[in-house]
């Protein structure tokens, strides 16, 4: 009987720690410009889901059969916004890794999945697409679909949720920055 109580307690702890995502709120840092997510989430999500429902040839990644729609997730959008904000304001090279500046919540970690977990909680799988310089949701979407790896992330049936972000910073190299964070908790 004691063995079963421990097993049930362990499962409850696992579900409690991983089931609902994270309540993480980033600490305020002085002298930060205001954080505003400028993305038209409905427009970008519609483009993504249209490709997913029709199937798509992602070049070297192969043809992806039609699959289920992604659901916009506020926690993934928050992690995407954090990443996008860092890219726009850090002045560092445009990349998936950490900038290591005060704008970077990862602080020198090169693994974007750590940032996603901070907001989204425990997950089964995650992915990230980033873009810079594109002026519209359609333009960044077309760019991602022409890139085999980015296309794979958009089309992967293992993902159920998506977060979207766009940040504009006129004094930066590319001015406009984009992030998609993908996740699945199953």
């Amino acid at each position: 009987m004691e063995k079963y109580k421990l097993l049930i307690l362990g499962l409850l702890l696992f579900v409690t720690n991983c089931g609902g995502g994270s309540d993480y709120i980033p600490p305020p840092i002085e002298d930060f410009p205001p954080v505003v997510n400028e993305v038209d989430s409905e427009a970008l999500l519609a483009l993504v889901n249209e490709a997913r429902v029709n199937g798509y040839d992602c070049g070297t990644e192969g043809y992806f059969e039609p699959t289920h729609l992604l659901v916009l997730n506020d926690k993934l959008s928050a992690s995407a916004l954090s990443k996008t904000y860092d890219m726009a304001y850090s002045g560092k090279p445009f990349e998936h890794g950490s900038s290591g500046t005060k704008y970077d919540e990862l602080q020198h970690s090169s693994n974007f999945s750590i940032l996603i977990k901070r907001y989204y909680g425990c997950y089964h799988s995650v992915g990230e697409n980033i873009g810079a310089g594109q002026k519209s949701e359609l333009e960044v979407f077309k760019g991602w679909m022409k890139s085999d790896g980015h296309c794979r992330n958009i089309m992967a049936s293992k993902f159920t949720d998506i977060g979207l972000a766009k940040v504009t910073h006129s004094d930066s190299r590319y001015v406009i920055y984009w992030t998609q964070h993908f996740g699945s908790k199953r």
Side-chain angles (χ1 to χ4, degrees), residues 63-125:
Y63 178 78
F64 285 77
E65 295 289 333
T67 190
H68 58 274
L69 303 179
L70 293 176
V71 175
L72 189 63
N73 180 285
D74 289 342
K75 293 179 183 204
L76 283 175
S77 289
S79 68
L81 181 59
S82 176
K83 171 63 180 180
T84 312
Y85 186 81
D86 178 39
M87 290 188 300
Y89 283 90
S90 70
K92 297 292 184 176
F94 172 70
E95 61 186 353
H96 288 281
S98 172
S99 73
T101 68
K102 69 179 183 176
Y103 304 108
D104 177 17
E105 283 190 57
L106 292 177
Q107 292 300 311
H108 307 291
S109 171
S110 61
N111 191 340
F112 69 85
S113 64
I114 294 170
L115 178 64
I116 293 175
K117 184 176 181 181
R118 187 175 283 175
Y119 286 90
Y120 189 54
C122 293
Y123 57 82
H124 178 267
S125 55

Side-chain angles (χ1 to χ4, degrees), residues 49-67 145 147-149 151-157:
N49 280 333
E50 182 179 350
R52 289 175 65 87
V53 77
N54 289 311
Y56 204 87
D57 183 358
C58 292
T60 60
E61 297 290 335
Y63 178 78
F64 285 77
E65 295 289 333
T67 190
M145 295 309 281
S147 165
D148 298 351
C151 180
R152 178 195 64 232
N153 278 344
I154 289 170
M155 296 304 297
S157 62

